[in-house]
Every structure is written in structure tokens, then in C-alpha cells.
Amino acid sequence: MSNTGNTLKIHTFTCAWCGLTVTRNAADDSVRNHCPSCLHSRHVTDHVEGGPSDCEGRMTPIAIAVLRTGDWMLVHRCVRCDELTSNPVCADDNQLMLMRMAVRPLAQPPFPLEALGSL
Amino acid sequence: MPRRTRPRDDAQRRQRHKEVLHAGGGHRGNDFRCVGCRLTVSVVAPGTAHRNHCPNCLASLHVDRRIPGDRDAACRGRMEAVAIFARPDGEWMIVHQCRSCGELSTNRIAGDDSVVALMRLALKPLQDTERASRTLLAL
């Protein structure tokens, strides 16, 4: 295989929210789809049919889901078409943003937390 | 409730048609049975117009595709609650993921959902103390 310029090109994308230029490949050899700084993503793959999506909307991080293995998944929702996706978090993602999202429901509980003490 | 594990072969006699009570929302017209804990759940719930999950174990069934109640999905897999998120107005939503096809969906919590089950789900990310201490060190 001839070594053209394309094989050496570093794949990057620009974050749709904060404008950070992000490399597609994370440090631990995984493919990154969200910005490590603000965790926003872009709706480019269609998860129902597979393949590319023509929505291209911005996807905001909404929740942290925990797998049985204990790994964290980041749940995104497209602001344009309300599609939901989940992706594993990368090692260099902003830990503060992740933890902020994990504890956000606890800041606004729908029931008084004092009731749990009487259980 | 008996569960059919293998498809019905044609040699088997089909069930005779009977006038049943559940026609027109009678018996079992307004409730469903939870796939997780077999609790009979009424679809009429305080605080939500679209109850789709069991108040006891928060499990749901993959029957709707985009609009609640459209019954458009052919999957029928079990949907497990994987995460809680708070909407900007403070409403808690449950994120369900289908165990058989991986589809995600969100639903508002109902007034009679189990407080313990909701708190367990909301506290799940914080069970890993190693990650929390790493975040504190990063500050």
C-alpha cells in the first residue's frame, strides 16, 4: 500500500459547543465522539439504521449511566431531533463535568430527602 | 403467567375464540404486568400521563418507538432503568435502555415510584469512590 498523505493525516473535529479542536483518537486508542472539555457531541451516526445521519445537530450530555462492570457511559441527546445515544467516557474527559452531571439529580430531588431517614 | 418459550406449530390446535372481558378496556385494559417483578401496575398514575414503567423496580417494555403509546416497536424487549437525569425545571427523568436491542428512551418519574429504587439509581455513579476521590484531586 502506498503511503499517501492521507494515511498520516490526524483526524480532528471542532466541538459544536465550545469550539475546541479535538483529535478523533483518544490517548487510550479508543475513538472519541465527544469533546473532552465540555462533553458535547454531534449527531453524525444514525443509531436506528446505522450509518451516517443527516441531522448533524448538537448533542448535549444529559446523564451518566453505569454499566454492570462499573464503567460509566455518557448519555447524549440531540437538541434537534431528540435522539438518544450512549458512549463510554474517555480517560481524559473532564472529571469535574462528569461528576457534576452525576450529582445534578441529587441537587433537585423530587421528594424530601428527610423521608429516607425514616425508612 | 405462563410464558411461551417456543413458537406455536400449526399442528397444535388454536385456541377457541371466546368473548373476553378485556375487550374495550375491561379486565386488564388499564393495567400491565411488570416484566421484572410481575407486579400488576395500573397505567393511571399520579403525576404522569404516560406511565410506562413499574413503580417497584422501574423496568419497562420496549413497545413504543417515538411517541408514548404509539405501540410502534416490534422489539418487545425488557427495558431497564440505567440512569436518572434532572430536566432544567427540576423534573427527574428515567433513562431506559432496551436489553435486547440497546435502544434508549426517557420517561418522567411518577408520583408513586419507589423512592428507594429511584435513589439507588441516582446514586449509582457515586458508588465508585475511587473516581470521586480522583475528581477531588483534580480540583
Side-chain angles (χ1 to χ4, degrees), chain B residues 93-107:
Chain B
M93 308 277 286
I94 301 178
V95 182
H96 282 106
Q97 185 167 33
C98 179
R99 288 280 296 275
S100 93
C101 70
E103 175 89 359
L104 293 157
S105 79
T106 56
N107 189 250

Side-chain angles (χ1 to χ4, degrees), chain A residues 47-48 62-68 70-73 75-77 81-86 89-91 95-96 98-99 101-106 108-111 113 116 119, chain B residues 66 80 82-93 95 97 99 102-106 109 114-116 118-119 122-128 131-135 138-139:
Chain A
H47 289 262
V48 179
I62 57 166
I64 301 281
V66 185
L67 298 181
R68 281 153 197 275
D71 295 334
W72 280 17
M73 301 285 280
V75 182
H76 282 103
R77 188 172 57 191
C81 65
D82 277 350
E83 171 96 352
L84 292 160
T85 61
S86 72
V89 298
C90 292
Q95 298 288 324
L96 200 59
L98 288 174
M99 198 49 90
M101 208 159 357
V103 299
R104 184 174 292 160
L106 300 174
Q108 300 166 313
F111 35 80
L113 292 178
L116 288 165
L119 287 173
Chain B
R66 284 204 69 94
E80 270 191 5
V82 289
I84 293 271
F85 81 96
R87 278 201 319 216
D89 59 349
E91 287 277 357
W92 275 23
M93 308 277 286
V95 182
Q97 185 167 33
R99 288 280 296 275
E103 175 89 359
L104 293 157
S105 79
T106 56
I109 62 166
S114 162
V115 173
V116 179
L118 287 174
M119 281 313 276
L123 290 172
K124 232 178 184 179
L126 305 178
Q127 278 177 346
D128 187 8
R131 191 185 277 270
S133 55
R134 206 163 359 121
T135 312
L139 280 175

Side-chain angles (χ1 to χ4, degrees), chain A residues 13-15 22-26 30-36 39-45 47 59 74 76 85-90 93:
Chain A
F13 63 91
T14 307
C15 173
V22 186
T23 55
R24 271 197 77 75
N25 294 82
S30 55
V31 176
R32 206 200 314 258
N33 79 332
H34 54 264
C35 170
L39 309 180
H40 282 251
S41 178
R42 195 179 267 280
H43 191 187
V44 285
T45 45
H47 289 262
M59 302 192 85
L74 194 54
H76 282 103
T85 61
S86 72
N87 287 97
V89 298
C90 292
D93 280 345

